[in-house]
Amino acid sequence: MGMKQVIKNLDAFPRAEDHLLQKTQSGALVSVIGLIIMATLFVHELRYYLTTYTVHQMSVDLKRGETLPIHINMTFPSLPCDVLSVDAIDMSGKHEVDLDTNIWKLRLNSDGHIIGTEYISDLVEKGHTHHKHDDHKDHDEHSEQKIHLQNLDESTENIIKKVKEAIKNQEGCRVYGVLDVQRVAGNFHISVHGLNIYVAQMIFDGAKNVNVSHVIHDLSFGPKYPGIHNPLDDTNRILHDTSGTFKYYIKVVPTEYRYISKEVLPTNQFSVSEYYSPINQFDRTWPAVYFLYDLSPITVTIKEERRSFLHFITRLCAVLGGTFAVTGMLDRWMYRLIEALTKSKSKR
């Protein structure tokens, strides 16, 4: 074998035989199918290339002195707004008073429609300031002062009458807004703790009649990013002929989401476990919904990234070339099958 023949054998593109260059209907069908498959795969690979994916990284949380935003949106279908209070406390036991906080309460009728609003400016157990959009009079500023049953003033009597009427009409309340708390462990809770104990006793005739059934529409610790899942969203806890205290133990994980545009979104994600404690006749506590949160020392960074163009070209060549090769093989097999069938018929 000469050198020329050796080089000729290296040709990866040998000339096709004459009969393989004939145009047939079966070849046209295979060609159309192959083009459709290649076009579909091309669009799929292009979308795959243009779609971003996320990479998760963990590091020690070094943030100090920042606030933690808590977004609340809840409905209490069995408690009127006049008795509900939102209270916050941190791990040192200090109530959070001087916060840039906006909490709103929407009065709901028995059908869940809004019939009035109320804005709470300060969140503290021992004194609530209310700005009403209706004719409701303010609660006593010092709820710790004991009001004996036989010495009720006119304002307190009006409050009791109004609340009893609201309960009779099956009013509910929607609480929503943002709590800006210190970035330390603590809790916030929604309850009737803002009422004087004697007033609460006259309204409800015992803690067992305080129904803290609730629906959590949204609870988050910062803005939402693509793909986040807040485990308490759309949570329903409805009580029937019983009462008790709900406690949600929350582990907050500081999170940074870095978009493909290099924009950084600081936020938090969290996990939660739940505990319910029913009220019995010997309890001195009143039912409430507690959210007890603690912060993780680890921060999570989520980065959006895009696949390289070279990776896209490599996959594109693989799928298009593979499809072309397979359809070529299929065309040859069909041609030979048809040719064999034609010859067998002619022999007959």
Side-chain angles (χ1 to χ4, degrees), residues 27 100 108 112 149 152 189 207-208 220 254 323 329:
D100 183 18
L108 307 176
L149 300 181
L152 294 177
H189 50 279
K208 64 182 183 300
S220 58
T323 304
M329 294 171 57

Side-chain angles (χ1 to χ4, degrees), residues 4 41 79 232 317 343:
K4 290 185 178 180
L41 292 176
L79 288 175
L232 286 179
C317 291
K343 288 182 179 179

Side-chain angles (χ1 to χ4, degrees), residues 11 36 61 74 84 108 161 179 242 268 287 301 303 332 340:
D11 187 2
I36 294 174
D61 183 22
M74 299 177 61
L84 279 180
L108 307 176
K161 290 179 181 178
L179 282 170
T242 185
N268 301 276
T301 301
K303 296 194 300 182
R332 286 195 295 271

Side-chain angles (χ1 to χ4, degrees), residues 70-73 86 97 99-105 118-123 175-181:
I70 305 175
H71 299 260
I72 308 169
N73 189 352
V86 184
V97 182
L99 295 176
D100 183 18
T101 302
N102 294 306
I103 294 292
W104 290 84
K105 294 195 295 186
E118 179 181 2
Y119 171 66
I120 309 175
S121 60
D122 292 329
L123 302 178
V175 180
Y176 71 99
V178 181
L179 282 170
D180 287 307
V181 299

Side-chain angles (χ1 to χ4, degrees), residues 232-244:
L232 286 179
D233 288 359
D234 300 320
T235 297
N236 292 271
R237 296 294 179 266
I238 305 300
L239 300 175
H240 300 283
D241 301 323
T242 185
S243 188

Side-chain angles (χ1 to χ4, degrees), residues 301-343:
T301 301
I302 305 174
K303 296 194 300 182
E304 286 185 347
E305 293 189 0
R306 182 168 287 145
R307 297 163 183 85
S308 68
F309 183 72
L310 183 60
H311 184 260
F312 167 66
I313 293 297
T314 303
R315 289 176 60 94
L316 197 61
C317 291
V319 298
L320 296 184
T323 304
F324 186 81
V326 169
T327 53
M329 294 171 57
L330 180 62
D331 177 56
R332 286 195 295 271
W333 293 340
M334 290 184 64
Y335 180 84
R336 290 172 181 172
L337 177 62
I338 293 173
E339 188 179 35
L341 293 174
T342 304
K343 288 182 179 179

Side-chain angles (χ1 to χ4, degrees), residues 59-190:
S59 59
V60 177
D61 183 22
L62 301 176
K63 293 181 181 179
R64 295 293 182 272
E66 298 183 6
T67 59
L68 180 67
I70 305 175
H71 299 260
I72 308 169
N73 189 352
M74 299 177 61
T75 294
F76 290 81
S78 302
L79 288 175
C81 288
D82 296 300
V83 300
L84 279 180
S85 64
V86 184
D87 311 306
I89 185 172
D90 64 22
M91 63 183 302
S92 67
K94 178 182 178 182
H95 289 106
E96 301 290 353
V97 182
D98 299 322
L99 295 176
D100 183 18
T101 302
N102 294 306
I103 294 292
W104 290 84
K105 294 195 295 186
L106 300 178
R107 291 176 55 208
L108 307 176
N109 61 17
S110 58
D111 297 323
H113 298 138
I114 300 171
I115 56 176
T117 63
E118 179 181 2
Y119 171 66
I120 309 175
S121 60
D122 292 329
L123 302 178
V124 56
E125 285 187 0
K126 297 183 180 180
H128 294 273
T129 304
H130 299 272
H131 302 282
K132 303 296 285 186
H133 293 273
D134 55 19
D135 296 329
H136 170 59
K137 295 184 179 180
D138 294 347
H139 285 184
D140 191 347
E141 291 182 354
H142 305 286
S143 63
E144 281 190 325
Q145 180 182 2
K146 293 184 178 180
I147 305 176
H148 296 287
L149 300 181
Q150 65 271 25
N151 295 320
L152 294 177
D153 56 30
E154 183 179 355
S155 175
T156 305
E157 289 179 349
N158 291 336
I159 291 173
I160 295 174
K161 290 179 181 178
K162 184 171 185 179
V163 172
K164 285 186 174 182
E165 183 68 20
I167 294 175
K168 181 180 178 181
N169 294 332
Q170 298 181 332
E171 278 193 25
C173 186
R174 186 161 186 167
V175 180
Y176 71 99
V178 181
L179 282 170
D180 287 307
V181 299
Q182 295 181 10
R183 200 178 181 83
V184 294
N187 78 76
F188 67 94
H189 50 279
I190 304 174

